[in-house]
Every structure is written in C-alpha cells, then in structure tokens.
Amino acid sequence: MAGIKHILVIRLSAMGDVAMTVPVLRALALQHPEVKLTVLSRGFFKPFFEGIPNVSFYEADVKGRHKGFGGLFKLYRELKKRDIDAVADLHNVLRSKIVTSLFALSGKKTATTDKARKEKKALTRAENKIFKPLTPIVQRHAETFRQLGFAIDVSVPVFPEKHILTQDVLAVTGAKTEKWIGIAPFAQHDGKVYPEDLMQQVISLLAQNEANKIFLFGGGAKEIEVLNRFANTISNVVVVAGKLKLLQELQLISNLDVMLSMDSGNAHMAAMLGVDTVTLWGATHPYAGFAPFNQPEENLLVSDREKYPLLPTSIYGNKKVEGYEDVMRTIVPESVVKRINQILNK
C-alpha cells in the first residue's frame, strides 16, 4: 500500500500465540518484500523471528521500564523514533490497545485482530452451544494486515530450512541416526493434559522401536521429575527439559520428524518450523481456531464428544466441569502411536 513502508507488529505473549504470528509474518515478508516489520514482544520470544527477512525485533519490558501507562508512553516514544507508518495489533489487550491508540492519535493507520470473543463464548457454553469451526487465528491475523492494505496468502507456506545443530545441542541429542520424535506432555491447565499413565504407555510403545529416539520437553522442577519418570532409564528416551535454552530447543524441534504435544506452545513452535505436529485435545477443541498451523485434521486427536457433549468447555482449558475430568481417556494410546507411525512411515 502506498505510504506504508514500516509496520509495527504487536504480540506481547503467550508462547503459543506469539508462535502463531510467525507463519503470517514470514508470508508477509516474502510476498511484500518492500515492507519493513518491527515486532514488539517480550525479549524471550526474539529467537522465533530470527531469519525472517525485513523483520527486526523490539523488546517490550512490561515488568520494568515499560510498566504501567507511563512506561507504555515511554515505549511509544521509543518506537516513534523508528519511523513507524502503521500498527498491526495482533494481541488486542489493554497494553497493546494503549500503544496502538497512541500511534492512531499521531495519525498512523492501525488495525487490530478480532478475537471473536462472542463466537468463542457460543462454542464453549453449556446451553445453546453453537458447535462450528471459527476462523483460524492465522487467518484472522492475515485479515488484520489486509485492513492495512497488504493481502497475504498463507495457503502455500514457506518454512525455514532445518536448523544446523550446534555442538551444545548435539551434546544433549547425539547425532541423528534415528527417527526423532518430540513429546511435550504438559500444558498450562490440567484440562489440556493427557493422563500420566496413558502418556507413559505412548512413550513405552514408541520406544519399543529402536529406530525411534524420543525427546521429552518441559520446564520447571516438577515437570522434569515427571519426565524422568517417563524416561525411566529407557535408552532411546532423552529428557531435554532444563538442558536447552529456547534457541537451542528450536534447533532440535526443527530437526524432529514429528512432534506430539498438547494444545500448547510447543505445538505452535513445531508447526511454525514446518514440522509434522500431532496434538491431543481435552477440554479445548481445534474449532476455537487454535489448531497448529498447516496441520491436517488427522493430526488433531480430540476427546469423544458423543460421550462428553459439552466439549469444548473452555478456550484455554482453565474451566473445571464436574464429570469431565477424564475426557482425554477417550483418546487411547494406540490411536496416538498409530498416527505418529503413519507420519514416520509416509
């Protein structure tokens, strides 16, 4: 679009949501090489955007110097020096709205991603539920850029080359001579986590094949304790949690043959790198628009709605519904292993 040469892109958190912006920005950068993008996010997420042409990163220090309204005004003044022509608010929360509004007041064009709050409520409510797929979030972000005058086609995505594994990563993984399977068995809320005993069965079944090597992802002492139980001295199961930084994790994920994840950030990190990603869905559902990017329906293993008709009960898995504690037990370990093997053997 004439006049817009530099777009500020705001997506402050959370991990999965930030990762879901990556395929959109990659498509925008390739299809509109004349446009410069500055991504405003938390510093932790900077590695997500490395290697995308014409994209620079600016850290929002929302707990430090950019805290509160005064801090956000300071952030606006810092960004203003970068000659921003337009703002794409992909977050649509109070902080991002304040920064976007300050740019709008100075005459810059802005667009904000529609979060479809009303449709999400209809999808998750118990009574008069409207069970139909909502527009995927990636498409919603693409629409935000279209409002600024930049049409983006995300239907034929271009993914980065597999990362070259550095020595510090190889020290944890070993050289790649097997099929590499990543498993990220945790999520922010219990309603999205596959039961421990069933996950142990999945890991054990996959580990029976010596041509497979399994990497277990997570973070924090409690999760590492569970992962160590899963690994249980099985020689081809490696716990990588706590051993790799984010950039190193991305190197490893990029080289996986398949990732198994909950409806969580790891799924979106794998998908943004073009890795086949199998996801397990409990209290949440792909219809809410948060299925990993460019993954076929067969990779989305959902809990049984005939047995549990109120599913999905929430968007984030944080709502407890009596009698729905065991919905994920309707996803049997054999079906998970079968789908992973189909991907490995294709």
Side-chain angles (χ1 to χ4, degrees), residues 137-153:
I137 191 70
V138 166
Q139 297 286 359
R140 290 186 185 280
H141 290 333
E143 170 58 25
T144 304
F145 287 106
R146 196 192 63 75
Q147 288 172 32
L148 294 176
F150 299 93
I152 309 171
D153 181 5

Side-chain angles (χ1 to χ4, degrees), residues 41-189:
S41 193
R42 298 183 190 228
F44 180 75
F45 300 121
K46 188 179 180 183
F48 284 8
F49 303 95
E50 288 184 8
I52 306 176
N54 297 334
V55 171
S56 60
F57 186 89
Y58 201 88
E59 182 179 352
D61 183 13
V62 293
K63 289 184 177 172
R65 73 179 200 276
H66 301 140
K67 190 177 179 181
F69 181 78
L72 290 173
F73 189 71
K74 186 188 285 183
L75 174 61
Y76 160 70
R77 284 170 60 192
E78 290 168 18
L79 290 164
K80 206 176 159 199
K81 293 173 188 167
R82 296 172 80 93
D83 295 325
I84 304 290
D85 300 311
V87 178
D89 178 3
L90 308 186
H91 201 162
N92 193 355
V93 294
L94 184 59
R95 277 193 189 111
S96 64
K97 285 176 180 175
I98 289 169
V99 175
T100 303
S101 298
L102 289 167
F103 275 101
L105 287 169
S106 70
K108 305 300 180 187
K109 188 162 183 178
T110 67
T112 300
T113 294
D114 174 14
K115 282 195 162 178
R117 290 184 174 96
K118 199 173 157 188
E119 293 97 318
K120 285 175 185 171
K121 201 172 178 182
L123 177 67
T124 54
R125 66 192 177 206
E127 290 175 27
N128 304 318
K129 182 186 286 288
I130 300 174
F131 185 68
K132 68 171 187 182
L134 307 186
T135 304
I137 191 70
V138 166
Q139 297 286 359
R140 290 186 185 280
H141 290 333
E143 170 58 25
T144 304
F145 287 106
R146 196 192 63 75
Q147 288 172 32
L148 294 176
F150 299 93
I152 309 171
D153 181 5
V154 290
S155 65
V156 187
V158 175
F159 294 106
E161 295 289 319
K162 285 187 189 301
H163 291 202
I164 293 165
L165 296 170
T166 50
Q167 284 304 317
D168 46 0
V169 178
L170 287 166
V172 175
T173 62
K176 186 170 182 179
T177 56
E178 313 91 343
K179 295 284 188 183
W180 279 10
I181 303 166
I183 299 182
F186 305 109
Q188 196 175 355
H189 300 290

Side-chain angles (χ1 to χ4, degrees), residues 16 18-24 26 46-52 157-165 217 246-259 265-277 292-295:
V18 176
M20 276 187 278
T21 65
V22 172
V24 187
R26 190 172 279 119
K46 188 179 180 183
F48 284 8
F49 303 95
E50 288 184 8
I52 306 176
V158 175
F159 294 106
E161 295 289 319
K162 285 187 189 301
H163 291 202
I164 293 165
L165 296 170
F217 292 80
L246 180 62
L247 191 56
Q248 297 168 319
E249 271 197 14
L250 292 172
Q251 278 182 39
L252 171 53
I253 292 170
S254 162
N255 283 275
L256 295 175
D257 294 286
V258 61
M259 169 68 95
N266 285 93
H268 301 294
M269 283 161 63
M272 79 181 191
L273 295 169
V275 174
D276 286 306
T277 306
F293 177 65
N294 199 47
Q295 299 299 316

